[in-house]
Amino acid sequence: MQARLVEPYLERVDSRGQIAEAFARSASKQAVLQDADARNGRTYSGPILAVTKHHVLQKTGDALYEIHDRSLAAANDLEPGKDGTIAYAFHKGKIVTPDIKAAISFARDPPEVALGTHPQLAGAYAAIAAIEHQAKADGLTPQQRAVVLAAATRHIVKAIERGEIAETNVTTEVDATRDTSLDR
């Protein structure tokens, strides 16, 4: 029983030590290291300097560094040396990835706005249009179509969040009939 409690605690202490060492290597003497405030609505942007199993070190100002607890963040990969945004929402940290931004835009914005910033969503909009067309062809009432489209939209938003964005294949139907009146 003691091992189940002590080992995770020691791992977190070691992780915190690794972050402190990374801070000492990266920061000036005037720099400030603090725990990130994980309250709802807080967002931090800046270069990721170190990542351990339990913590993330991020530079958020000229001389300001934040330690993020990864148990409060989504299970997305952060890479040292790259910029990252960590947003805390609903008291549970969530790392905002490009896929999550695209999913939010798909769910909230008009198509022309979402496609302007996330052109990869064209396939998702094509899927919704196809579902709507099929629902009409199947003779569903407007209320039934609304239920079907809401469910399809929720499903597509979840897929976009996972990085599963539908691709489009644009095809054009061509009338292959031949006008034989012009033949000699």
Side-chain angles (χ1 to χ4, degrees), residues 3-175:
R4 284 192 351 223
L5 297 175
V6 172
E7 287 177 22
Y9 172 76
L10 292 176
E11 283 180 4
R12 292 183 71 75
V13 168
D14 182 54
S15 173
R16 195 111 179 147
Q18 291 173 34
I19 293 294
E21 289 173 12
F23 171 72
R25 286 190 306 268
S26 302
S28 67
K29 293 190 188 267
Q30 294 83 18
V32 175
L33 177 64
Q34 63 187 23
D35 288 319
D37 179 0
R39 283 185 289 167
N40 190 27
R42 295 290 303 188
T43 301
Y44 300 88
S45 295
I48 304 298
L49 302 177
V51 177
T52 67
K53 181 178 177 183
H54 298 286
H55 297 95
V56 175
L57 176 63
Q58 182 179 40
K59 184 175 182 182
T60 57
D62 289 338
L64 185 59
Y65 295 75
E66 305 286 341
I67 298 176
H68 298 279
D69 187 326
R70 292 190 72 181
S71 68
L72 299 176
N76 295 342
D77 294 329
L78 290 170
E79 294 183 39
K82 293 191 175 181
D83 281 350
T85 299
I86 301 174
Y88 292 94
F90 309 109
H91 307 290
K92 177 99 173 137
K94 188 172 189 179
I95 299 170
V96 180
T97 66
D99 291 332
I100 291 173
K101 286 181 182 178
I104 291 168
S105 185
F106 180 81
R108 294 184 182 166
D109 297 335
E112 54 278 359
V113 172
L115 288 169
T117 54
H118 305 284
Q120 72 274 24
L121 294 177
Y125 283 108
I128 288 293
I131 291 167
E132 185 172 18
H133 177 76
Q134 188 61 48
K136 282 181 184 177
D138 289 345
L140 297 180
T141 67
Q143 294 82 7
Q144 290 170 324
R145 287 195 310 263
V147 170
V148 168
L149 288 175
T153 300
R154 283 192 305 273
H155 176 75
I156 291 171
V157 165
K158 292 294 181 192
I160 295 168
E161 287 176 348
R162 293 188 305 269
E164 301 167 6
I165 300 175
E167 294 184 18
T168 55
N169 292 325
V170 177
T171 58
T172 305
E173 289 186 26
V174 176
D175 185 5

